[in-house]
């Protein structure tokens, strides 16, 4: 009898993070199986926006077009929300221009304005997009599922992971109540905040307990004009109405729900909405609804032997500021090329240690950001005073820039060493003389060594590396950079201004796991 197939990587969880990881793994040559317990994509209302690191990850993989097309359709819905009673909705072009001023919120202070940022701020050269783009999680999942299938990823739905075990050669995963066991060299848990993989592999998951109950839904309301639009803080908590018709969110500081698994009923939503808003409104229909809390926890390490975790399986927190989905996509982009290099024999297992080292501090910061926002929402006199101070701070030039870049993901950096300020940050969105952007050269997922010296002098450095390195030579306007080495995840590993290549062999050796002698 033929031995059962052993996959390179088994991904538990077919949400956006698991699918993005599967795409990255497959792009770099790994044989991937995704197991998802749900039979169909989850249409429940969840995350609703993506920030700069996610947008640029999609740009590098030539997936920004679908997001932009969806944005165009969303503008019409936003226009309906902004329409004044008895008047037609504003033109979509007007809405698009107003949306340029929307950089998100901090603790419900919806006043972050990216148009107030300095045009020459060096942190802004990583994108030309708005820091936040409205993109419901279910739409993102559909897009990534289509890409995964096109790349040859195997996706099995209706298959739940129930038990795992690992040995020196790989991981065995038992599925559902059946005796089926799937074998893989590595397992990555992308199975959410209550991850079976994380629990079975005994990851430490410390953090803080929840103190709120949040409810988010898409509903039909009998008198929507009675509800204030946007984010509003009341004597009870927070109530949100918009940015599209029918979307509501309430936050109450009465502790976590007694049972998060119970269905969210129309009566529960209506009671909470009336209580928090103080308005006489009725919910007549519910299209989608969910509960959430501010439970904030993070795995101390993202790897236990041959088992890894990503997304909500690695860190959980409240959804304020739209950080969770984006954080998970960042995990997937960081881990994908590294794990593929290991399973394909192009790098040693020590490369996986950089996954926790780089991503753990980013998530720890996000947890602090979300805790701070919960503290800023509390309905009490001391928080009233604190909100006034923070609001005044956001109104300043420096304060607005700080919070826009914080929520938009501009501030994310890795400690990669190096003596150039670009090292460890997302690559700049350079436009080359041939009409391409630097991002256009990442569609196949490899490293890019950019030579802007005009002398084609960096080609020899990339010869013979174990991981693929594409050398792109040319010219670019408005930059002093003469050379960049950019990893597959879009982060700069080496940068130079001037004619030397000092440090490039070391950077190539470190990340391609090849001794470079030039």
């Amino acid at each position: 009898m033929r031995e059962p197939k052993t996959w390179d990587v088994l991904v538990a969880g077919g949400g956006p993070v698991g699918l993005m990881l599967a795409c990255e793994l497959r792009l770099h040559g790994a044989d991937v199986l995704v197991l998802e317990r749900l039979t169909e994509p989850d249409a429940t209302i969840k995350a609703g926006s993506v920030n700069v690191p996610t947008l640029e990850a999609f740009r590098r993989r030539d997936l920004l077009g679908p997001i932009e097309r969806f944005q165009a359709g969303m503008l019409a819905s936003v226009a309906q929300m902004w329409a004044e009673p008895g008047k037609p909705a504003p033109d979509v072009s007007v809405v698009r221009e107003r949306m340029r001023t929307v950089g998100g919120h901090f603790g419900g202070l919806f006043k972050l304005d990216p148009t107030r940022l300095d045009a020459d701020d060096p942190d802004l050269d990583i994108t030309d997009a708005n820091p936040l783009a409205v993109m419901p999680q279910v739409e993102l999942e559909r897009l990534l599922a289509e890409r995964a299938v096109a790349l040859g990823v195997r996706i099995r739905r209706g298959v739940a992971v129930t038990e795992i075990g690992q040995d020196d050669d790989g991981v065995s995963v038992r599925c559902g109540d059946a005796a089926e066991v799937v074998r893989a060299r590595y397992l990555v848990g992308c199975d959410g905040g209550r991850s079976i993989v994380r629990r079975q592999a005994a990851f430490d998951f410390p953090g803080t307990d929840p103190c709120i109950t949040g409810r988010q839904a898409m509903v039909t309301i009998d008198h929507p004009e009675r509800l204030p639009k946007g984010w509003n803080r009341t004597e009870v908590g927070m109530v949100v109405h918009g940015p599209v018709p029918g979307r509501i969110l309430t936050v109450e500081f009465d502790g976590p729900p007694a049972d998060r698994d119970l269905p969210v009923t129309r009566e529960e939503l209506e009671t909470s909405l009336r209580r928090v808003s103080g308005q006489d409104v009725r919910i007549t229909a519910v299209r989608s609804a969910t509960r959430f809390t501010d439970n904030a926890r993070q795995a101390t390490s993202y790897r236990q032997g041959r088992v890894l975790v990503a997304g909500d399986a690695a860190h959980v927190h409240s959804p304020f500021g739209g950080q969770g989905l984006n954080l998970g996509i960042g995990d997937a982009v960081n881990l994908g090329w590294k794990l593929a290099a290991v399973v394909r024999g192009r790098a040693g297992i020590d490369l996986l240690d950089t996954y926790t080292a780089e991503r753990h501090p980013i998530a720890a910061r996000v947890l602090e950001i979300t805790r701070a926002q919960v503290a800023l929402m509390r309905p009490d006199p001391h928080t009233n005073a604190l909100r006034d101070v923070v609001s005044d701070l956001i109104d300043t030039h420096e304060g607005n820039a700080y919070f826009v870049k914080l929520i938009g993901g501009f501030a994310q950096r890795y400690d990669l060493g190096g003596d150039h300020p670009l090292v460890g940050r997302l690559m700049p969105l350079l436009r080359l003389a041939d009409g391409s952007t630097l991002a256009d050269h990442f569609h196949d997922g490899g490293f890019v060594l950019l030579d802007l010296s005009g002398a084609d002098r960096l080609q020899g450095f990339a010869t013979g590396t174990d991981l693929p390195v594409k050398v792109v030579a040319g010219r670019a306007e408005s930059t002093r950079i003469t050379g960049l080495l950019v990893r597959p995840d879009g982060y700069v590993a080496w940068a130079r201004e001037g004619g030397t290549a000092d440090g490039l062999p070391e950077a190539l050796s470190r990340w391609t796991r090849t001794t470079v002698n030039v």
Side-chain angles (χ1 to χ4, degrees):
M1 293 181 64
R2 187 175 62 180
E3 288 293 321
K5 177 181 177 65
T6 297
W7 299 84
D8 285 337
V9 182
L10 193 156
V11 177
V17 176
L19 291 171
M20 186 71 182
L21 176 61
C23 289
E24 291 295 291
L25 287 164
R26 190 75 194 108
L27 189 64
H28 293 91
D31 201 12
V32 188
L33 171 65
V34 176
L35 298 181
E36 168 54 49
R37 65 179 180 83
L38 299 178
T39 57
E40 299 291 339
D42 187 1
T44 304
I45 182 171
K46 293 182 180 178
S49 63
V50 291
N51 65 9
V52 167
T54 300
L55 288 168
E56 292 310 307
F58 275 66
R59 189 196 301 269
R60 290 191 303 275
R61 300 299 183 253
D62 198 24
L63 290 172
L64 198 57
I67 293 181
E68 292 175 338
R69 288 191 291 272
F70 183 84
Q71 287 288 295
M74 286 291 293
L75 290 176
S77 294
V78 175
Q80 292 179 16
M81 191 73 191
W82 287 355
E84 298 181 12
K87 295 183 179 180
D91 187 78
V92 169
S93 62
V94 174
V95 177
R96 182 181 289 109
E97 185 63 24
R98 287 180 61 182
M99 289 293 289
R100 291 181 59 247
T101 68
V102 177
H105 74 93
F106 191 84
L109 292 169
F110 209 95
K111 55 197 304 184
L112 310 185
D113 185 355
T115 64
R116 292 171 52 201
L117 300 176
D118 290 332
D120 58 353
D121 187 330
D123 287 338
L124 305 186
D125 66 1
I126 62 179
T127 188
D128 60 0
N130 203 55
L132 290 178
V134 177
M135 185 71 176
Q137 182 168 320
V138 65
E139 297 296 333
L140 199 64
E141 185 173 330
R142 289 194 185 103
L143 173 61
L144 291 173
E146 291 174 359
R147 175 170 171 79
V149 170
L151 288 172
V153 173
R154 174 81 183 280
I155 303 173
R156 291 183 59 191
R157 293 191 174 274
V159 180
V161 171
T162 57
E163 186 178 350
I164 69 172
Q166 63 173 309
D167 52 43
D168 292 341
D169 298 321
V171 184
S172 297
V173 176
R174 188 175 299 278
C175 304
D177 298 328
E180 180 185 9
V181 174
V182 180
R183 184 78 177 165
R185 296 177 63 191
Y186 286 87
L187 166 67
V188 186
C190 300
D191 50 340
R194 289 178 275 187
S195 168
I196 294 296
V197 171
R198 186 187 66 236
R199 294 176 184 177
Q200 288 274 325
F203 282 79
D204 291 332
F205 201 52
T208 53
D209 294 331
C211 64
I212 69 169
T213 293
R215 298 171 179 89
Q216 182 177 206
M218 289 298 298
V219 300
T220 302
I221 306 171
D222 62 348
H223 287 286
E225 73 281 358
R226 294 177 182 173
L227 290 176
K229 297 174 184 177
W231 285 75
N232 296 273
R233 184 165 166 267
T234 73
E235 295 180 354
V236 177
M238 298 289 298
V239 61
V240 184
H241 185 205
V244 295
R247 188 255 183 166
I248 61 166
L249 182 150
T250 63
V251 180
E252 298 187 69
F253 287 79
D254 54 355
D259 189 344
R260 283 190 62 188
D261 294 327
L262 287 175
V264 183
T265 66
R266 184 197 66 80
E267 291 78 12
E268 177 185 345
L269 289 169
E270 182 176 281
T271 299
S272 180
L273 182 61
R274 289 168 61 86
R275 181 166 55 232
V276 179
S277 70
Q279 298 299 316
D280 182 17
V281 292
R282 295 286 186 273
I283 293 177
T284 58
V286 179
R287 298 195 296 278
S288 177
T290 186
R291 296 187 197 88
F292 62 87
T293 73
D294 58 328
N295 179 39
R297 300 184 178 279
Q298 182 181 19
T300 54
S301 173
Y302 292 176
R303 180 169 76 91
Q304 297 279 13
R306 290 178 175 269
V307 180
L308 301 100
V309 289
D312 288 350
H315 36 71
V316 295
H317 51 80
S318 73
F320 303 128
Q323 302 295 300
L325 172 62
N326 297 286
L327 191 58
I329 294 294
D331 291 346
V333 171
N334 184 284
L335 177 60
W337 69 273
K338 296 175 181 177
L339 185 52
V342 172
V343 299
R344 303 308 295 170
R346 297 189 292 259
I349 198 171
D350 60 305
L351 182 60
L352 296 182
D353 294 335
T354 66
Y355 170 51
T356 297
E358 292 173 5
R359 294 302 299 171
H360 195 278
I362 302 294
R365 180 60 170 156
V366 168
L367 262 66
E368 291 301 295
I369 292 170
T370 57
R371 289 183 180 116
Q373 291 188 77
V374 171
L376 201 58
M377 293 178 182
R378 289 179 179 139
D380 62 67
H382 292 87
T383 305
N384 294 344
L386 178 62
R387 287 180 70 85
D388 286 343
V389 172
V390 175
S391 181
D392 288 345
L393 178 61
I394 293 176
D395 286 339
T396 68
H397 185 77
E398 294 81 3
N400 175 71
Y402 173 83
F403 285 104
V404 169
K405 291 194 283 187
L406 188 70
I407 296 300
F410 293 94
Q412 294 184 10
R413 295 174 184 265
Y414 300 149
D415 183 7
L416 303 185
D419 57 1
H420 194 281
L422 288 182
V423 174
R425 56 162 286 186
L426 272 174
M427 68 184 194
L429 185 63
L430 295 176
R431 300 189 181 279
L432 307 182
D434 64 1
S436 68
T437 69
L438 180 55
D440 292 333
H441 298 279
F442 282 83
H443 295 174
D444 60 0
F447 286 78
V448 169
L449 180 57
L450 179 66
D451 186 352
L452 299 179
S453 66
D456 295 336
R457 56 188 310 276
L458 300 184
Q459 178 72 50
F461 288 92
T463 304
T465 55
D466 285 350
L467 297 182
V469 179
K470 177 193 294 184
V471 178
V472 176
R475 292 287 189 182
E477 298 180 357
S478 304
T479 182
R480 297 171 57 186
I481 299 168
T482 55
L484 284 179
L485 174 64
V486 185
R487 304 188 320 187
D489 57 0
Y491 280 79
V492 176
W494 172 84
R496 269 293 172 271
E497 299 174 13
T500 69
D502 294 345
L504 178 56
E506 293 80 6
L508 280 165
S509 295
R510 179 183 181 186
W511 295 112
T512 68
R513 293 311 200 250
T514 305
T515 300
V516 179
N517 296 309
V518 177

